[in-house]
Amino acid sequence: MLSGVMADVLIMGIGGITADGFSNTNTLVVSPQRKMIEVSHKVVIVADHTKFGRRAVMPLAPLDVADVVVSDTGLSAEYGDMLRAHEVELLLA
């Protein structure tokens, strides 16, 4: 169903973020999330600092699929460096 969809911006929450990439806890949404990433021009991931360093059940995608990650000011500097190394913009709110 999502094959015919095109999106300018995808804003998506996530279950975990590590150097290996993004992952999620709900196995039922991972496949549709992958498709939405594929059909979107810009991908924005929203995750509070507790999601970093945590690997959820299902791998979703490598870090470089995201254009922007939005997190909170509790985020450790090491994770900001990790995202920038993959050319992902980090916004702290």
Side-chain angles (χ1 to χ4, degrees):
M1 178 179 109
L2 293 174
S3 295
V5 173
M6 291 184 65
D8 288 330
V9 180
L10 169 65
I11 301 172
M12 179 172 61
I14 202 71
I17 304 174
T18 66
D20 293 331
F22 301 105
S23 56
N24 213 335
T25 55
N26 188 335
T27 59
L28 298 175
V29 301
V30 169
S31 182
Q33 285 180 326
R34 285 182 184 142
K35 191 61 176 176
M36 285 302 299
I37 289 169
E38 186 181 312
V39 301
S40 299
H41 293 282
K42 184 173 187 172
V43 176
V44 179
I45 302 293
V46 179
D48 69 78
H49 73 277
T50 65
K51 303 297 191 274
F52 286 79
R54 180 172 146 187
R55 199 169 283 156
V57 177
M58 291 292 298
L60 176 64
L63 294 176
D64 61 3
V65 301
D67 297 293
V68 179
V69 169
V70 179
S71 191
D72 62 278
T73 56
L75 186 65
S76 171
E78 72 178 286
Y79 294 119
D81 294 341
M82 176 185 76
L83 292 171
R84 284 187 282 279
H86 288 88
E87 299 183 9
V88 178
E89 180 183 358
L90 173 62
L91 299 177
L92 298 178

